[in-house]
Amino acid sequence: MAESEKTTGFSSFPQGKPRHHWLGVILTLVFIVILGGGAVYLVKRAQKSPAAGAAAGGPPGGFFGRSAGSAGPSITVGEATAKEGDLPILIDALGTVTPLRTVSLVPQVSGILLATPFTEGQIVKKGQVLVRIDPRSYQQALTQAQGDLVRDQAQLAAAQVTWRRYRLLLDQDSIARQAFDTQDAQVKQLQGTVETDRAAVKRAQINLDYTTIVAPFTGLIGMRSVDPGNYVSTTTTSMTSSGTSTTSSGIATITQMQPINAIFTVPQERIPDIQAAARAGSVLPVTALDQARTRQLASGRFLTLDNLVNVSTGTVRAKAQFDNAEGKLFPNQFVNIRLQLGTAHGVLIPVTAMRTGPDGDYVYVIDQDSIAHMRPVKRGLATDEQIMVVQGLKAGEQVVSEGGDRVKDGSPVRRADAAGPGGTASGAQHAGSGAVGASAAHPGWANLPPQVRAKLQGMTPEQRRSYLQQLRAQHATAPGASESALASVPRGAASK
């Protein structure tokens, strides 16, 4: 029974399965051989591609864009040359424009406002009539005071005549001493009355003059707060043209525009630097910029520091003065102030060339083989466009100024001028050396014009072939002096 069960068990397996198993193994081995052959082919192609890429003027690279001895493909970057120069020592601060003088036109006498002969927002000259108040009551008061003065002067003259007569009679012992003393007292009393009348005349004249208000200096006048026809006084409630009731302490306001000051704050740490620069005797230039720091509004000079430091902010107020000839500075305007304390000499590079990492500041220096090397540096003063390198860089060295985010230490780089028409001016310095190298790599290009050689150098082999064909077609229709030069270029030179 057991033997029959074993026979039955073996007979239950399919008879074709061993053949299918060996077929799968054979197919797997064939697939592995194909993969190995493809890998060998790709390796050989990668070893040959660097020389072909170099002869074609393109970046070195194999099948995956890598050469046998490079760390990776070339990266197109912008370059700049470190140069020695002077960098201004600047202090940037936020300031407020403040006029030298601000005057409110406040009436000194009460009365009906007859006229305001000025245009709101215009520049008024010193002595120009700005306000007229009804003068009739003050003219009458002046006339009355002048009449009282004339009356009292006549009484004084009569008393002085009597006094001289009494004096003569007293010398002759013809009148009593008491009568003379009484007359002498009356003369002095009338003299006092006359002086009082003269003061009243002057007071009335002053009140009359107050009915006309003139500009105390040349400046910009603002909007009037009281309309003509209203009753005005030193503090009065009146109706404006808009129908609103206002309590005004002045009819209008004048601010002096030229010159004009700016108040700004500087950190207390910079006080010694400012004082040292001011003691040197030179005028410290100050520039007023707009909010975006892109447009210069005015230039002036530094005046003084305040005598106290604000303990809550750790800053001290400073004042600068501007001629404001063009009127670009306006009272209470917020401006950016740039104070220059002097200049410093050193190695300068663009701000975009300076980079910061975990270990501090560094730059990428490009060597003669177009390899970028990371070099730690120590930064100094800086402006919006340039930065001074105190340590780690020499004048004349080439640094990466654009595209540094894609660069690593030891990476091969390609200057922007070799990337095509979009190259920057910084790479133009190497155009001559690049043209010579292209002529050496392509002997057939030696007779071509320099601009044609430079253009061919930045093209791929397909682009060169198409471009040379276009040039030959153009010269075939319009032969010129360079036709022989194109004829000397081998047909296969474009693919090299």
Side-chain angles (χ1 to χ4, degrees):
M1 185 68 178
E3 185 176 356
S4 63
E5 289 178 357
K6 290 181 180 181
T7 304
T8 306
F10 279 106
S11 62
S12 65
F13 285 96
Q15 297 296 326
K17 184 171 183 179
R19 184 177 61 185
H20 292 169
H21 173 73
W22 287 107
L23 180 61
V25 172
I26 293 172
L27 292 178
T28 302
L29 292 177
V30 171
F31 181 72
I32 292 175
V33 171
I34 293 175
L35 287 180
V40 171
Y41 170 76
L42 293 179
V43 170
K44 291 182 178 180
R45 181 176 178 179
Q47 292 176 350
K48 295 179 180 179
S49 59
F63 184 80
F64 296 102
R66 298 179 181 268
S67 59
S70 64
S74 298
I75 302 172
T76 302
V77 297
E79 65 170 348
T81 303
K83 300 179 180 179
E84 288 191 3
D86 294 329
L87 199 66
I89 304 174
L90 303 176
I91 297 179
D92 291 330
L94 183 64
T96 304
V97 178
T98 305
L100 269 69
R101 289 185 290 179
T102 301
V103 173
S104 296
L105 302 181
V106 179
Q108 299 298 305
V109 293
S110 302
I112 301 299
L113 181 61
L114 296 181
T116 54
F118 64 85
T119 302
E120 295 175 325
Q122 77 173 33
I123 296 294
V124 295
K125 302 295 183 180
K126 181 179 181 179
Q128 178 180 340
V129 176
L130 303 177
V131 176
R132 288 195 180 96
I133 301 174
D134 188 1
R136 292 175 296 178
S137 60
Y138 302 99
Q139 183 65 55
Q140 293 175 357
L142 175 60
T143 302
Q144 181 179 358
Q146 291 173 341
D148 293 340
L149 176 60
V150 172
R151 180 197 60 194
D152 293 336
Q153 284 177 338
Q155 293 177 356
L156 175 60
Q160 288 175 339
V161 171
T162 304
W163 181 87
R164 287 193 294 270
R165 185 181 301 116
Y166 280 5
R167 182 65 183 179
L168 180 60
L169 294 176
L170 180 62
D171 293 339
Q172 297 175 356
D173 200 18
S174 299
I175 60 173
R177 181 74 184 185
Q178 182 178 2
F180 174 79
D181 292 340
T182 301
Q183 188 62 31
D184 184 67
Q186 185 178 4
V187 169
K188 292 180 179 179
Q189 180 180 358
L190 291 174
Q191 287 176 344
T193 302
V194 169
E195 292 298 325
T196 302
D197 293 341
R198 288 174 178 170
V201 169
K202 292 180 179 180
R203 183 174 62 252
Q205 183 64 55
I206 292 175
N207 289 335
L208 181 61
D209 293 339
Y210 279 156
T211 60
T212 300
I213 302 178
V214 298
F217 54 85
T218 300
L220 181 67
I221 193 167
M223 299 180 181
R224 67 171 184 264
S225 59
V226 182
D227 295 330
N230 286 282
Y231 182 84
V232 295
S233 62
T234 54
T235 302
T236 182
T237 302
S238 57
M239 297 297 294
T240 63
S241 57
S242 60
T244 59
S245 177
T246 61
T247 301
S248 173
S249 59
I251 298 175
T253 303
I254 304 176
T255 55
Q256 184 175 349
M257 301 293 292
Q258 298 173 352
I260 200 166
N261 292 338
I263 304 297
F264 58 100
T265 57
V266 296
Q268 61 182 358
E269 295 82 6
R270 304 305 300 269
I271 294 178
D273 299 334
I274 298 175
Q275 291 177 336
R279 282 194 298 265
S282 59
V283 177
L284 303 182
V286 179
T287 304
L289 306 173
D290 62 354
Q291 293 185 355
R293 297 179 181 269
T294 57
R295 185 168 59 95
Q296 178 175 330
L297 302 178
S299 58
R301 60 188 181 91
F302 175 78
L303 289 183
T304 184
L305 289 172
D306 202 357
N307 59 352
L308 292 175
V309 174
N310 190 329
V311 295
S312 60
T313 62
T315 59
V316 61
R317 296 200 310 164
K319 180 184 291 186
Q321 189 171 99
F322 304 88
D323 293 336
N324 199 27
E326 298 180 0
K328 294 182 179 180
L329 297 181
F330 206 78
N332 292 341
Q333 176 185 1
F334 287 100
V335 293
N336 287 292
I337 299 297
R338 180 165 292 170
L339 171 62
Q340 181 175 347
L341 303 182
T343 57
H345 187 79
V347 179
L348 306 179
I349 60 174
V351 174
T352 54
M354 180 66 67
R355 314 195 67 79
T356 303
D359 297 331
D361 298 325
Y362 65 94
V363 296
Y364 285 114
V365 181
I366 305 175
D367 60 12
Q368 296 180 353
D369 298 328
S370 297
I371 303 297
H373 301 279
M374 186 175 68
R375 183 183 299 177
V377 295
K378 183 178 180 181
R379 72 168 66 197
L381 299 174
T383 62
D384 294 339
E385 299 178 355
Q386 291 182 313
I387 188 170
M388 179 176 294
V389 178
V390 180
Q391 183 180 354
L393 193 66
K394 297 180 180 180
E397 292 186 300
Q398 302 291 327
V399 296
V400 175
S401 59
E402 300 292 341
D405 295 336
R406 298 174 289 122
V407 179
K408 295 183 179 179
D409 188 17
S411 300
V413 296
R414 187 183 185 189
R415 293 174 174 84
D417 64 331
T424 59
S426 62
Q429 301 172 355
H430 304 276
S433 61
V436 174
S439 299
H442 305 278
W445 295 4
N447 297 326
L448 293 177
Q451 62 272 20
V452 176
R453 293 199 304 268
K455 191 170 184 179
L456 288 173
Q457 184 183 1
M459 294 182 178
T460 63
E462 293 77 9
Q463 292 175 341
R464 292 174 188 162
R465 187 181 301 107
S466 177
Y467 180 66
L468 289 175
Q469 289 176 357
Q470 293 178 3
L471 291 181
R472 289 191 180 95
Q474 294 176 1
H475 287 284
T477 57
S482 60
E483 183 177 1
S484 59
L486 288 172
S488 63
V489 180
R491 295 288 178 174
S495 61
K496 292 183 180 180

